[in-house]
Amino acid sequence: MAHCTNCGTQLTDGVKFCPSCGATASQNSQNGYQAPITQDTSEADDARNNKAMGVLAYLGILVLVPIFAAKESKFARYHANQGLVLALAEIAFAIVYSILTGILTAILLGTGAWGLWSVITTLLGLVWLVFLALSIIGIVNAVNGKMKDLPVIGKIRILK
């Protein structure tokens, strides 16, 4: 029995077209066995099997789960790196935010500029929405099985 060289379907003798894909007999070998053409799906399987790890990578401290639990997965490792960079950026911003808020509180509230203080601290607080948006972008990429860099911080590599 021959197999279609295009899709791998088993062909009966004398068939002019593959019943599955329509490939012509000239495209198929009628003398002996032809191994079916297979596609390397290891990356697709890796992404499908590790989507949950990819999602966990963007949920703050839970980034540690894929870092330690899915060391062999290229997909999970990629998203763990993206999530780790995002988490470190959030921590760095939290430190800067605390320092700036403390300084602004001492300077502006001491002079009675409540309005300016509230506007500046509110604007600084809105920066957290950027981190939320980056997390959502990363989660959507992980759920869709994509290994796409996050905007601004995506090129930074910590994990290899």
Side-chain angles (χ1 to χ4, degrees):
M1 275 281 157
H3 287 76
C4 175
T5 57
N6 188 43
C7 70
T9 301
Q10 193 172 20
L11 303 174
T12 57
D13 292 334
V15 173
K16 295 185 180 195
F17 297 97
C18 173
S20 293
C21 70
T24 63
S26 62
Q27 293 173 323
N28 291 305
S29 171
Q30 294 182 357
N31 300 328
Y33 174 76
Q34 281 288 331
I37 297 174
T38 57
Q39 178 180 335
D40 182 23
T41 58
S42 60
E43 286 186 15
D45 288 341
D46 182 31
R48 187 172 34 257
N49 295 334
N50 290 292
K51 283 183 182 181
M53 292 294 179
V55 170
L56 287 176
Y58 297 100
L59 301 177
I61 193 70
L62 293 179
V63 70
L64 296 175
V65 174
I67 288 174
F68 293 114
K71 292 179 182 179
E72 292 79 30
S73 168
K74 183 179 176 185
F75 181 80
R77 198 83 174 153
Y78 174 83
H79 286 287
N81 180 75
Q82 296 282 296
L84 181 60
V85 170
L86 183 60
L88 292 175
E90 289 172 352
I91 291 168
F93 179 72
I95 292 168
V96 170
Y97 178 79
S98 298
I99 292 170
L100 285 176
T101 303
I103 291 170
L104 289 172
T105 301
I107 293 171
L108 295 177
L109 293 183
T111 61
W114 285 90
L116 183 60
W117 176 84
S118 64
V119 168
I120 293 174
T121 55
T122 301
L123 291 175
L124 283 173
L126 290 176
V127 174
W128 289 110
L129 294 176
V130 173
F131 292 114
L132 176 63
L134 290 174
S135 293
I136 291 170
I137 291 169
I139 290 169
V140 168
N141 286 337
V143 167
N144 290 330
K146 296 179 182 175
M147 292 174 48
K148 188 175 176 185
D149 289 344
L150 291 175
V152 182
I153 61 172
K155 299 288 184 202
I156 301 170
R157 300 286 183 252
I158 296 174
L159 301 175
K160 299 296 176 196

